[in-house]
Amino acid sequence: MAICGIAVTDISEPIGTPCVMNMLSALAIGAHDVRSNCSAPLASLGAVSGSATTSVFCSNRLLVTCDINLYNRQELQDSISTLSRSAPIEALIAELYLQYGESFLQKLRGAFSVAVWDRESRALLLARDRFGVKPLCYAARGSEIIFASYPRGIFATQRLPRKPDFRAIVNYLNYHVVPTPDTAFEGISKVNPGEYVVWKAGKERAKRYWNLHYAEDAHGPVGKLASDLLSRIEDAVRVSSADLTPERTGCFLSGGTDSSTVVGLLSRITGHPANSFSIGFTEGRFNELEYARLAAKHFRVRHFESILRPGHAYEAIPRIVEGYDEPFANASAIPTYLCAKLAKEHGMEAMLAGDGGDELFGGNERYRTHQILELYQKIPGLVRHLIEPVVFASPSAGVFGKAQRYIRRSNTPIPERYCAWRLFQVFPAVQVLGPAMLYVNGDVMAVMRRYYDAAPAHSEINRLLYVDIKMTLGDEDLPKVVRTAELAGIEVRFPLLDHRLAEFSGRLPASMKVRRLEKRFLFKQATRRLLPHEIRHKKKHGFGLPIGVWLKTDPKLRSMSRDVLLDPKTYQRGYFRRTFIEQLMANMEQDTTPYFGDLLWSFLMLELWHRRHLEGAAG
């Protein structure tokens, strides 16, 4: 589902219904998607969805459109005596706005993007859920504001030219996504998760209505905290699936702790075997089907799986490039898309995903790495000053080479240390960027540093978790799962991102997340009777794709990447230098890791995005 609309001041050009209908057509995925819109003298709003129940709400005062999974709908409807129990969800949002004003957002439990046009105040409110599950972007240009779930909806009005934002492209090359609130296009911004934007009389203001605070004030015996945590996780799974048909609901199952927990609890709650779906690979170190099968057998679920080969990835690339309005280099979008398609082919209408557990409860390997690097900083400074000259005077191979790398990284300040492998932390910008980009090259760490400095936390681990919630989860993992599910024609929900569960995670001491060198300590304690031991203590993989390997070894992918990245037309953009691409290709041939291939993938996706969404759109 997607929403869109436009609002103007008195002096702007008038809005016609065809304008919003063009937006809806651009946002539609299926040929039979239902479109609805409603207009007032200064605004027009619309919605499009594969469901016939989608609509917008119009009254004498308000226009409302929303893309929402509301988990406390009944509770909210019961609290409003004037509202019929059968009233559509847009009418409920309108009534909540009338009663509580902008603060109504705090009462919503679930994932949503919402737009409310108030005829009385001539103001437009745009809001996004707390973690940014639902996409929403806008272009405010003085006398008008245009919004849509994706930029393609905004461009369909033909009121805004398509121009790349060079600074956003630089950030993309470093982070493999365009960090919020920027987009890859000049003049278009994303609404930040947990915030809303009010546009009135040609002026906009943004305000935060929710943030995850790390009070760390939940104390008590580990067993009590673990029991409380499991109860809250189960409640989150229950409310997020309550309105779904069990037979038509599936789960992404990687075999990790989060997806396995969701599968197990859903089966327990419904009293029926859940439906689980997994993707595997022929490359052993990327393949987790062994653990997915273990979880499926343990919970006695109906399990479906498929093996993804290089040819499948090659065929999926055009669909991924077309589906993402911005360059997006998380290659695991391909197996996620194919997994969602597999579920759709087996009759599923909705999927539950386990995303968010790592960022809430300390499950990523880099949190443990942080603890290891901090051990060196606990050595008294005088001793370190004696150690370092000896280590760095030694040959940079073997044990001394490892020691040198360890010390350098440990001495790197946070958050720079946290992303030492990122492109511009490894290669100087002047070596990478083309002439059009060098003048906008600034501090690429500013985005991450902003979140790190603003984190409402005292411990370093919680600061890093906060950064990951904003960037890894919000900008990368959620768009990966949400958009690929949309492209497959299926709905997706994230039980672990229930904000009440998240707020409880913020109350947990950091030592309950990463204790010594053990990741997600309390989560493992909470699920010790739910999950098999092998799953609770396995190494994390997820739906990672061996694209860095395949660009080197698969003839089709190798040829395609070279044809695109060595095409003289590619360098007319000025994004990056041919000499650097040739260097990456040479390094990939000699290296035994997928690192350089993964970097090449990000450049490939940038060029393919430009061809489809800038050149293709212009053509």
Side-chain angles (χ1 to χ4, degrees), residues 222-261:
V222 170
K224 174 64 170 64
L225 291 175
S227 176
D228 197 1
L229 174 57
L230 183 61
S231 175
R232 291 170 185 269
I233 296 171
E234 185 168 356
D235 180 61
V237 175
R238 178 182 295 104
V239 298
S240 62
S241 61
D243 62 336
L244 300 176
T245 304
E247 295 78 12
R248 298 291 185 182
T249 303
C251 300
F252 290 101
L253 180 59
S254 68
T257 51
D258 294 327
S259 62
S260 299
T261 296

Side-chain angles (χ1 to χ4, degrees), residues 246-418:
E247 295 78 12
R248 298 291 185 182
T249 303
C251 300
F252 290 101
L253 180 59
S254 68
T257 51
D258 294 327
S259 62
S260 299
T261 296
V262 171
V263 168
L265 290 177
L266 182 64
S267 297
R268 176 192 293 181
I269 290 165
T270 63
H272 301 283
N275 302 292
S276 62
F277 298 86
S278 302
I279 294 291
F281 309 98
T282 52
E283 287 72 10
R285 63 174 167 153
F286 291 89
N287 189 38
E288 284 200 299
L289 283 181
E290 171 191 352
Y291 292 100
R293 290 166 183 164
L294 176 63
K297 182 179 179 181
H298 182 77
F299 294 117
R300 299 178 181 178
V301 301
R302 298 175 66 241
H303 183 62
F304 306 89
E305 61 185 45
S306 180
I307 298 293
L308 194 161
R309 304 180 189 278
H312 301 132
Y314 179 84
E315 293 170 359
I317 288 173
R319 182 61 168 154
I320 297 299
V321 171
E322 196 284 329
Y324 281 84
D325 288 30
E326 301 180 81
F328 189 78
N330 187 330
S332 60
I334 293 176
T336 306
Y337 169 62
L338 294 177
C339 192
K341 276 189 66 179
L342 179 67
K344 182 70 173 180
E345 290 165 1
H346 284 85
M348 299 299 108
E349 296 174 349
M351 293 283 282
L352 301 186
D355 297 76
D358 288 327
E359 293 78 11
L360 292 176
F361 302 107
N364 285 317
E365 182 64 25
R366 50 186 171 267
Y367 308 142
R368 193 165 74 114
T369 301
H370 167 76
Q371 300 284 67
I372 294 172
L373 294 172
E374 282 297 291
L375 293 176
Y376 181 70
Q377 296 303 314
K378 293 179 180 179
I379 298 174
L382 180 61
V383 177
R384 281 186 276 127
H385 283 107
L386 294 174
I387 291 173
E388 291 180 14
V390 175
V391 172
F392 286 102
S394 303
S396 57
V399 174
F400 284 106
K402 291 182 179 179
Q404 290 169 12
R405 290 191 294 273
Y406 172 77
I407 291 173
R408 284 196 192 97
R409 192 168 175 192
S410 179
N411 286 340
T412 302
I414 304 172
E416 286 80 359
R417 176 208 294 175
Y418 196 50

Side-chain angles (χ1 to χ4, degrees), residues 153-228:
I154 293 174
F155 289 127
T157 65
Q158 298 185 348
R159 294 178 179 228
L160 190 74
R162 290 180 187 252
K163 293 182 180 179
D165 185 320
F166 289 143
R167 189 176 299 279
I169 299 302
V170 172
N171 279 331
Y172 159 80
L173 288 172
N174 200 52
Y175 296 107
H176 292 184
V177 296
V178 176
T180 301
D182 294 334
T183 71
F185 302 100
E186 280 188 7
I188 300 181
S189 301
K190 303 184 189 87
V191 178
N192 281 309
E195 292 189 6
Y196 63 91
V197 173
V198 174
W199 181 87
K200 182 178 180 180
K203 296 181 180 179
E204 63 182 281
R205 62 176 173 88
K207 186 174 181 180
R208 177 181 292 162
Y209 68 87
W210 185 86
N211 201 12
L212 181 54
H213 293 271
Y214 296 87
E216 299 193 32
D217 60 353
H219 301 291
V222 170
K224 174 64 170 64
L225 291 175
S227 176
D228 197 1

